[in-house]
Amino acid sequence: MREVPGIEDFFGFAARLIRPTVFRSMMKVLVTGGAGYIGSVAVDALIDAGFDVVVFDNLYMGHREAVNPEAAFIEGDLADKAAVDAAFAEHKPQAVMHFASYSLVGESVENPLKYLGDNVTNGLNLLSAVLDHGVERFILSSTANLFDQPETIPISENETLIPGSPYGESKAIIERYLFWLQKTKGLRYAALRYFNAAGCTEVKGEDHTPETHLIPLVIQVALGQREKIMIFGDDYDTPDGTCVRDYIHVADLAQAHILALKALDTNESLHYNLGNGAGFSVKEVIETVREVSGHPIPAEITPRRAGDPAILVGDSTKIRKELGWDPQFGDLKPIVESAWKWHSAHPEGYGS
Ligand code: UDP
């Protein structure tokens, strides 16, 4: 039954009407990959914060339905330099958030040149447009896969960059180039190294084809769409032998992007690790989905997946102190609950 709108709905509606006229003059942000899992949530956060947004996405992995209707949308490929240039010429963004990227460690080990082409060659097209059109702020989606052999856990920004795979290497190359573009051309940038993005908002979820990420795969088992979950190795040097990861909610990642974008007003370069500072093993993730869904979740141990470090846990003290980042989903259970809610409501993802 549809509820009768209350007074809060009225104020929410009024705020949405007023907000664009108040803040729209702030800044226009071009978001590559804004139809994807993390990018679409960041677009919502940008629009909520009053920014003008242009999404540039080839829809290989993203979904048109995931693009906020208040954003302009261009279906385009970063490999197409002319299309990238035309998007900048038409929309004249003042900042870029760059989410569009292949991001699978295992795939990059099997097909390393795909990652060089995507992140580096296509990244060059994007960075050329950024310089040619005088864009002064750039935010890069980077990765915890920069840290294959961390000396200290949780991993801080002082850790030496030793990429764990061709994927991590491709992000490291772009991070280094941003450093040089800052020095030589004055481009202000933030490199945000995500640990394991997870969870869903009320309206945006994780829908990859094929799905390879742990939490949505375990949820597929709980929904009866998959018979069992494969555990990739139980002989790691960790308490229960399975890999330990730091799961961070997408909405918290999105907030970090807004903070970083604003901080570029007064900073030339920023590097931040974005995690919760707590690690959960593959077995603990499966157990949490069991608890949240009430499904037994059959599991089978298989050999290790190439390129997987044993433990990746981030130390986000720096961004918390410097920018006041305050993640709202500090534990695994509420993250899994948010994902369970979205996947239960959208069992076929954006297709349903
Ligand atoms: N994993 C697993 N079974 C799966 C998918 C993932 O055991 O079907 C493990 C994977 O080896 C890693 C962890 O779960 O240790 C998280 O993997 P995911 O692909 O979600 O993220 P990544 O850490 O690669 O960014």
Short mmCIF file of all heavy atoms in Angstrom, two decimals, residues 163-214:
data_model
loop_
_atom_site.label_atom_id
_atom_site.label_comp_id
_atom_site.label_asym_id
_atom_site.label_seq_id
_atom_site.Cartn_x
_atom_site.Cartn_y
_atom_site.Cartn_z
N PRO A 163 52.91 -3.01 -6.12
CA PRO A 163 51.64 -3.53 -6.64
C PRO A 163 51.61 -5.06 -6.63
O PRO A 163 52.64 -5.72 -6.82
CB PRO A 163 51.59 -2.98 -8.06
CG PRO A 163 52.44 -1.76 -8.03
CD PRO A 163 53.55 -2.08 -7.07
N GLY A 164 50.40 -5.59 -6.40
CA GLY A 164 50.26 -7.05 -6.29
C GLY A 164 49.86 -7.72 -7.58
O GLY A 164 49.75 -8.95 -7.62
N SER A 165 49.61 -6.93 -8.63
CA SER A 165 49.13 -7.54 -9.88
C SER A 165 49.25 -6.50 -10.98
O SER A 165 49.45 -5.31 -10.71
CB SER A 165 47.66 -7.93 -9.73
OG SER A 165 46.86 -6.77 -9.63
N PRO A 166 49.07 -6.90 -12.24
CA PRO A 166 49.05 -5.90 -13.32
C PRO A 166 47.98 -4.82 -13.08
O PRO A 166 48.18 -3.66 -13.43
CB PRO A 166 48.75 -6.74 -14.57
CG PRO A 166 49.32 -8.08 -14.25
CD PRO A 166 49.06 -8.29 -12.77
N TYR A 167 46.87 -5.21 -12.47
CA TYR A 167 45.84 -4.20 -12.14
C TYR A 167 46.42 -3.15 -11.20
O TYR A 167 46.34 -1.93 -11.46
CB TYR A 167 44.62 -4.90 -11.52
CG TYR A 167 43.68 -3.95 -10.81
CD1 TYR A 167 43.10 -2.89 -11.48
CD2 TYR A 167 43.39 -4.12 -9.46
CE1 TYR A 167 42.24 -2.01 -10.83
CE2 TYR A 167 42.53 -3.26 -8.79
CZ TYR A 167 41.96 -2.20 -9.48
OH TYR A 167 41.12 -1.33 -8.82
N GLY A 168 47.00 -3.60 -10.10
CA GLY A 168 47.60 -2.67 -9.13
C GLY A 168 48.68 -1.82 -9.79
O GLY A 168 48.79 -0.61 -9.54
N GLU A 169 49.49 -2.47 -10.65
CA GLU A 169 50.57 -1.75 -11.34
C GLU A 169 50.00 -0.63 -12.21
O GLU A 169 50.53 0.49 -12.26
CB GLU A 169 51.36 -2.74 -12.20
CG GLU A 169 52.62 -2.18 -12.81
CD GLU A 169 53.71 -1.92 -11.76
OE1 GLU A 169 53.99 -2.81 -10.95
OE2 GLU A 169 54.27 -0.80 -11.77
N SER A 170 48.88 -0.93 -12.91
CA SER A 170 48.31 0.08 -13.81
C SER A 170 47.81 1.29 -13.01
O SER A 170 47.92 2.43 -13.46
CB SER A 170 47.18 -0.52 -14.66
OG SER A 170 46.07 -0.88 -13.87
N LYS A 171 47.28 1.06 -11.82
CA LYS A 171 46.85 2.18 -10.97
C LYS A 171 48.07 2.94 -10.43
O LYS A 171 48.05 4.17 -10.31
CB LYS A 171 45.99 1.67 -9.81
CG LYS A 171 44.64 1.13 -10.23
CD LYS A 171 43.68 2.25 -10.62
CE LYS A 171 42.32 1.70 -10.98
NZ LYS A 171 41.37 2.73 -11.40
N ALA A 172 49.12 2.20 -10.10
CA ALA A 172 50.34 2.85 -9.60
C ALA A 172 50.92 3.78 -10.66
O ALA A 172 51.39 4.88 -10.35
CB ALA A 172 51.37 1.80 -9.18
N ILE A 173 50.88 3.33 -11.92
CA ILE A 173 51.41 4.16 -13.01
C ILE A 173 50.62 5.48 -13.08
O ILE A 173 51.19 6.56 -13.17
CB ILE A 173 51.34 3.41 -14.36
CG1 ILE A 173 52.33 2.23 -14.36
CG2 ILE A 173 51.62 4.35 -15.54
CD1 ILE A 173 52.16 1.28 -15.54
N ILE A 174 49.30 5.36 -13.02
CA ILE A 174 48.48 6.59 -13.11
C ILE A 174 48.72 7.48 -11.89
O ILE A 174 48.86 8.70 -12.01
CB ILE A 174 46.98 6.25 -13.27
CG1 ILE A 174 46.73 5.51 -14.58
CG2 ILE A 174 46.12 7.51 -13.20
CD1 ILE A 174 46.98 6.35 -15.83
N GLU A 175 48.83 6.88 -10.72
CA GLU A 175 49.14 7.69 -9.52
C GLU A 175 50.44 8.45 -9.71
O GLU A 175 50.55 9.63 -9.39
CB GLU A 175 49.24 6.82 -8.26
CG GLU A 175 47.90 6.48 -7.64
CD GLU A 175 48.03 6.16 -6.13
OE1 GLU A 175 49.02 6.56 -5.49
OE2 GLU A 175 47.10 5.50 -5.62
N ARG A 176 51.47 7.77 -10.22
CA ARG A 176 52.77 8.42 -10.41
C ARG A 176 52.66 9.54 -11.43
O ARG A 176 53.25 10.59 -11.29
CB ARG A 176 53.83 7.41 -10.88
CG ARG A 176 54.36 6.50 -9.80
CD ARG A 176 54.92 7.25 -8.61
NE ARG A 176 56.10 8.05 -8.89
CZ ARG A 176 56.62 8.94 -8.03
NH1 ARG A 176 56.05 9.14 -6.85
NH2 ARG A 176 57.70 9.61 -8.35
N TYR A 177 51.90 9.29 -12.51
CA TYR A 177 51.75 10.32 -13.51
C TYR A 177 50.99 11.52 -12.98
O TYR A 177 51.29 12.66 -13.35
CB TYR A 177 51.13 9.76 -14.81
CG TYR A 177 52.22 9.62 -15.82
CD1 TYR A 177 53.02 8.50 -15.82
CD2 TYR A 177 52.54 10.67 -16.67
CE1 TYR A 177 54.11 8.41 -16.67
CE2 TYR A 177 53.61 10.59 -17.52
CZ TYR A 177 54.40 9.47 -17.52
OH TYR A 177 55.48 9.40 -18.35
N LEU A 178 50.04 11.28 -12.09
CA LEU A 178 49.33 12.41 -11.49
C LEU A 178 50.32 13.26 -10.69
O LEU A 178 50.25 14.50 -10.71
CB LEU A 178 48.18 11.91 -10.59
CG LEU A 178 46.98 11.36 -11.37
CD1 LEU A 178 45.98 10.71 -10.42
CD2 LEU A 178 46.29 12.46 -12.20
N PHE A 179 51.23 12.58 -10.01
CA PHE A 179 52.28 13.31 -9.28
C PHE A 179 53.03 14.25 -10.24
O PHE A 179 53.23 15.43 -9.96
CB PHE A 179 53.24 12.29 -8.63
CG PHE A 179 54.50 12.88 -8.08
CD1 PHE A 179 54.52 13.43 -6.80
CD2 PHE A 179 55.66 12.91 -8.83
CE1 PHE A 179 55.69 13.98 -6.29
CE2 PHE A 179 56.83 13.45 -8.33
CZ PHE A 179 56.84 14.00 -7.05
N TRP A 180 53.39 13.73 -11.42
CA TRP A 180 54.16 14.54 -12.36
C TRP A 180 53.29 15.61 -13.03
O TRP A 180 53.77 16.71 -13.33
CB TRP A 180 54.86 13.65 -13.41
CG TRP A 180 56.01 12.95 -12.77
CD1 TRP A 180 56.13 11.61 -12.52
CD2 TRP A 180 57.19 13.56 -12.22
NE1 TRP A 180 57.29 11.34 -11.87
CE2 TRP A 180 57.98 12.51 -11.66
CE3 TRP A 180 57.66 14.86 -12.13
CZ2 TRP A 180 59.20 12.75 -11.04
CZ3 TRP A 180 58.88 15.10 -11.51
CH2 TRP A 180 59.62 14.04 -10.97
N LEU A 181 52.03 15.30 -13.24
CA LEU A 181 51.14 16.32 -13.83
C LEU A 181 50.90 17.46 -12.84
O LEU A 181 50.70 18.61 -13.23
CB LEU A 181 49.81 15.70 -14.27
CG LEU A 181 49.94 14.70 -15.43
CD1 LEU A 181 48.57 14.15 -15.81
CD2 LEU A 181 50.60 15.35 -16.65
N GLN A 182 50.94 17.12 -11.56
CA GLN A 182 50.83 18.18 -10.55
C GLN A 182 52.07 19.07 -10.63
O GLN A 182 51.97 20.29 -10.70
CB GLN A 182 50.67 17.54 -9.17
CG GLN A 182 50.06 18.46 -8.12
CD GLN A 182 50.95 19.64 -7.80
OE1 GLN A 182 52.13 19.45 -7.49
NE2 GLN A 182 50.40 20.82 -7.88
N LYS A 183 53.24 18.40 -10.65
CA LYS A 183 54.51 19.17 -10.67
C LYS A 183 54.65 20.02 -11.92
O LYS A 183 55.10 21.16 -11.87
CB LYS A 183 55.71 18.21 -10.64
CG LYS A 183 55.89 17.47 -9.34
CD LYS A 183 56.76 18.28 -8.37
CE LYS A 183 56.81 17.65 -7.01
NZ LYS A 183 55.91 18.30 -6.03
N THR A 184 54.30 19.43 -13.09
CA THR A 184 54.59 20.11 -14.35
C THR A 184 53.44 20.99 -14.84
O THR A 184 53.68 21.99 -15.51
CB THR A 184 54.91 19.08 -15.45
OG1 THR A 184 53.80 18.19 -15.58
CG2 THR A 184 56.16 18.28 -15.12
N LYS A 185 52.21 20.60 -14.53
CA LYS A 185 51.06 21.32 -15.10
C LYS A 185 50.12 21.89 -14.04
O LYS A 185 49.09 22.48 -14.39
CB LYS A 185 50.24 20.38 -16.02
CG LYS A 185 51.05 19.75 -17.14
CD LYS A 185 51.35 20.79 -18.21
CE LYS A 185 52.22 20.19 -19.31
NZ LYS A 185 52.58 21.21 -20.32
N GLY A 186 50.42 21.64 -12.79
CA GLY A 186 49.59 22.22 -11.73
C GLY A 186 48.25 21.53 -11.51
O GLY A 186 47.36 22.08 -10.87
N LEU A 187 48.07 20.31 -12.06
CA LEU A 187 46.81 19.58 -11.84
C LEU A 187 46.72 19.13 -10.37
O LEU A 187 47.61 18.45 -9.87
CB LEU A 187 46.76 18.34 -12.76
CG LEU A 187 45.54 17.44 -12.59
CD1 LEU A 187 44.25 18.14 -13.03
CD2 LEU A 187 45.71 16.14 -13.40
N ARG A 188 45.66 19.54 -9.71
CA ARG A 188 45.46 19.09 -8.31
C ARG A 188 44.80 17.73 -8.35
O ARG A 188 43.86 17.53 -9.12
CB ARG A 188 44.53 20.06 -7.58
CG ARG A 188 45.13 21.43 -7.40
CD ARG A 188 44.08 22.43 -6.95
NE ARG A 188 44.69 23.74 -6.85
CZ ARG A 188 45.17 24.24 -5.70
NH1 ARG A 188 45.03 23.58 -4.57
NH2 ARG A 188 45.75 25.41 -5.67
N TYR A 189 45.25 16.80 -7.51
CA TYR A 189 44.67 15.47 -7.59
C TYR A 189 44.58 14.80 -6.22
O TYR A 189 45.31 15.14 -5.29
CB TYR A 189 45.48 14.57 -8.55
CG TYR A 189 46.79 14.11 -7.96
CD1 TYR A 189 46.90 12.87 -7.33
CD2 TYR A 189 47.93 14.92 -8.03
CE1 TYR A 189 48.09 12.45 -6.79
CE2 TYR A 189 49.13 14.50 -7.48
CZ TYR A 189 49.21 13.26 -6.86
OH TYR A 189 50.39 12.85 -6.32
N ALA A 190 43.64 13.86 -6.16
CA ALA A 190 43.54 12.99 -4.99
C ALA A 190 43.52 11.55 -5.49
O ALA A 190 42.79 11.22 -6.42
CB ALA A 190 42.25 13.27 -4.21
N ALA A 191 44.35 10.70 -4.90
CA ALA A 191 44.35 9.26 -5.21
C ALA A 191 43.74 8.56 -4.00
O ALA A 191 44.29 8.63 -2.90
CB ALA A 191 45.77 8.77 -5.46
N LEU A 192 42.60 7.94 -4.22
CA LEU A 192 41.88 7.29 -3.11
C LEU A 192 42.01 5.78 -3.28
O LEU A 192 41.49 5.22 -4.25
CB LEU A 192 40.41 7.73 -3.11
CG LEU A 192 40.20 9.25 -3.02
CD1 LEU A 192 38.71 9.59 -3.00
CD2 LEU A 192 40.88 9.83 -1.77
N ARG A 193 42.72 5.17 -2.36
CA ARG A 193 42.96 3.72 -2.47
C ARG A 193 41.89 2.98 -1.69
O ARG A 193 41.91 2.95 -0.46
CB ARG A 193 44.32 3.36 -1.89
CG ARG A 193 45.54 3.81 -2.68
CD ARG A 193 46.04 5.15 -2.20
NE ARG A 193 47.32 5.51 -2.79
CZ ARG A 193 48.44 5.63 -2.06
NH1 ARG A 193 48.44 5.42 -0.76
NH2 ARG A 193 49.55 5.99 -2.65
N TYR A 194 40.97 2.36 -2.44
CA TYR A 194 39.89 1.63 -1.78
C TYR A 194 40.39 0.29 -1.31
O TYR A 194 41.09 -0.40 -2.04
CB TYR A 194 38.73 1.31 -2.73
CG TYR A 194 38.22 2.41 -3.60
CD1 TYR A 194 37.56 2.09 -4.78
CD2 TYR A 194 38.37 3.75 -3.26
CE1 TYR A 194 37.06 3.08 -5.60
CE2 TYR A 194 37.86 4.74 -4.07
CZ TYR A 194 37.22 4.40 -5.25
OH TYR A 194 36.72 5.38 -6.08
N PHE A 195 39.95 -0.08 -0.14
CA PHE A 195 40.09 -1.47 0.25
C PHE A 195 38.88 -2.19 -0.36
O PHE A 195 38.61 -1.95 -1.53
CB PHE A 195 40.33 -1.58 1.77
CG PHE A 195 41.79 -1.23 2.05
CD1 PHE A 195 42.27 0.06 1.81
CD2 PHE A 195 42.70 -2.20 2.42
CE1 PHE A 195 43.62 0.38 1.95
CE2 PHE A 195 44.05 -1.90 2.57
CZ PHE A 195 44.51 -0.62 2.33
N ASN A 196 38.13 -3.04 0.31
CA ASN A 196 37.10 -3.78 -0.43
C ASN A 196 35.75 -3.07 -0.39
O ASN A 196 35.04 -3.14 0.62
CB ASN A 196 36.98 -5.21 0.10
CG ASN A 196 38.13 -6.06 -0.38
OD1 ASN A 196 39.29 -5.71 -0.14
ND2 ASN A 196 37.84 -7.13 -1.07
N ALA A 197 35.41 -2.42 -1.50
CA ALA A 197 34.11 -1.74 -1.59
C ALA A 197 33.00 -2.77 -1.44
O ALA A 197 33.05 -3.84 -2.06
CB ALA A 197 33.99 -1.04 -2.93
N ALA A 198 32.02 -2.45 -0.62
CA ALA A 198 30.96 -3.44 -0.36
C ALA A 198 29.68 -2.72 0.05
O ALA A 198 29.67 -1.51 0.28
CB ALA A 198 31.41 -4.38 0.76
N GLY A 199 28.59 -3.49 0.11
CA GLY A 199 27.32 -2.94 0.58
C GLY A 199 26.57 -2.20 -0.52
O GLY A 199 27.07 -1.99 -1.63
N CYS A 200 25.35 -1.81 -0.20
CA CYS A 200 24.47 -1.14 -1.16
C CYS A 200 23.75 -0.01 -0.43
O CYS A 200 23.62 -0.03 0.79
CB CYS A 200 23.41 -2.12 -1.68
SG CYS A 200 24.12 -3.61 -2.44
N THR A 201 23.28 0.96 -1.23
CA THR A 201 22.41 1.99 -0.64
C THR A 201 20.96 1.53 -0.84
O THR A 201 20.72 0.45 -1.39
CB THR A 201 22.64 3.36 -1.31
OG1 THR A 201 22.16 3.31 -2.65
CG2 THR A 201 24.11 3.75 -1.30
N GLU A 202 20.01 2.37 -0.46
CA GLU A 202 18.60 2.01 -0.68
C GLU A 202 18.32 1.85 -2.17
O GLU A 202 17.46 1.06 -2.56
CB GLU A 202 17.70 3.13 -0.12
CG GLU A 202 17.68 3.23 1.40
CD GLU A 202 16.96 2.05 2.05
OE1 GLU A 202 15.99 1.55 1.47
OE2 GLU A 202 17.38 1.65 3.16
N VAL A 203 19.04 2.62 -3.00
CA VAL A 203 18.67 2.68 -4.42
C VAL A 203 19.75 2.17 -5.38
O VAL A 203 19.48 1.99 -6.56
CB VAL A 203 18.29 4.13 -4.82
CG1 VAL A 203 16.95 4.52 -4.22
CG2 VAL A 203 19.36 5.13 -4.41
N LYS A 204 20.95 1.94 -4.87
CA LYS A 204 22.03 1.51 -5.76
C LYS A 204 22.70 0.26 -5.21
O LYS A 204 22.95 0.17 -3.99
CB LYS A 204 23.09 2.61 -5.92
CG LYS A 204 22.57 3.90 -6.51
CD LYS A 204 22.34 3.81 -8.02
CE LYS A 204 21.26 4.76 -8.51
NZ LYS A 204 21.63 6.15 -8.44
N GLY A 205 22.99 -0.68 -6.13
CA GLY A 205 23.58 -1.94 -5.66
C GLY A 205 24.69 -2.43 -6.56
O GLY A 205 25.11 -1.75 -7.50
N GLU A 206 25.14 -3.63 -6.26
CA GLU A 206 26.29 -4.22 -6.97
C GLU A 206 25.75 -5.21 -7.99
O GLU A 206 25.10 -6.20 -7.62
CB GLU A 206 27.19 -4.92 -5.93
CG GLU A 206 28.51 -5.36 -6.51
CD GLU A 206 29.54 -5.71 -5.43
OE1 GLU A 206 29.15 -5.77 -4.25
OE2 GLU A 206 30.71 -5.93 -5.80
N ASP A 207 26.01 -4.96 -9.25
CA ASP A 207 25.48 -5.83 -10.31
C ASP A 207 26.52 -5.94 -11.41
O ASP A 207 26.55 -5.13 -12.34
CB ASP A 207 24.16 -5.22 -10.83
CG ASP A 207 23.55 -6.05 -11.96
OD1 ASP A 207 24.10 -7.11 -12.30
OD2 ASP A 207 22.52 -5.62 -12.49
N HIS A 208 27.40 -6.94 -11.26
CA HIS A 208 28.44 -7.19 -12.27
C HIS A 208 28.10 -8.46 -13.05
O HIS A 208 27.61 -9.41 -12.46
CB HIS A 208 29.81 -7.40 -11.61
CG HIS A 208 30.29 -6.24 -10.80
ND1 HIS A 208 30.42 -6.30 -9.43
CD2 HIS A 208 30.67 -5.00 -11.16
CE1 HIS A 208 30.88 -5.14 -8.98
NE2 HIS A 208 31.04 -4.33 -10.01
N THR A 209 28.42 -8.47 -14.33
CA THR A 209 28.28 -9.69 -15.12
C THR A 209 29.60 -9.97 -15.82
O THR A 209 29.99 -9.17 -16.67
CB THR A 209 27.18 -9.55 -16.21
OG1 THR A 209 25.98 -9.11 -15.56
CG2 THR A 209 26.92 -10.88 -16.89
N PRO A 210 30.30 -11.05 -15.50
CA PRO A 210 29.96 -11.99 -14.44
C PRO A 210 30.32 -11.40 -13.08
O PRO A 210 31.21 -10.55 -12.98
CB PRO A 210 30.86 -13.19 -14.77
CG PRO A 210 32.07 -12.59 -15.44
CD PRO A 210 31.56 -11.39 -16.21
N GLU A 211 29.66 -11.87 -12.04
CA GLU A 211 30.01 -11.44 -10.68
C GLU A 211 31.22 -12.24 -10.21
O GLU A 211 31.29 -13.44 -10.42
CB GLU A 211 28.82 -11.67 -9.73
CG GLU A 211 29.01 -11.06 -8.36
CD GLU A 211 29.37 -9.57 -8.41
OE1 GLU A 211 28.49 -8.74 -8.64
OE2 GLU A 211 30.57 -9.27 -8.24
N THR A 212 32.17 -11.53 -9.61
CA THR A 212 33.36 -12.23 -9.09
C THR A 212 33.60 -11.89 -7.63
O THR A 212 34.48 -12.49 -7.00
CB THR A 212 34.63 -11.81 -9.88
OG1 THR A 212 34.83 -10.41 -9.68
CG2 THR A 212 34.53 -12.14 -11.35
N HIS A 213 32.89 -10.91 -7.08
CA HIS A 213 33.19 -10.44 -5.73
C HIS A 213 32.50 -11.30 -4.68
O HIS A 213 31.39 -11.79 -4.87
CB HIS A 213 32.80 -8.97 -5.58
CG HIS A 213 33.66 -8.08 -6.41
ND1 HIS A 213 33.22 -7.52 -7.59
CD2 HIS A 213 34.94 -7.70 -6.25
CE1 HIS A 213 34.21 -6.81 -8.11
NE2 HIS A 213 35.27 -6.90 -7.33
N LEU A 214 33.19 -11.40 -3.56
CA LEU A 214 32.77 -12.37 -2.54
C LEU A 214 31.36 -12.12 -2.01
O LEU A 214 30.53 -13.04 -2.02
CB LEU A 214 33.80 -12.35 -1.38
CG LEU A 214 33.50 -13.34 -0.27
CD1 LEU A 214 33.56 -14.78 -0.78
CD2 LEU A 214 34.49 -13.15 0.89
#
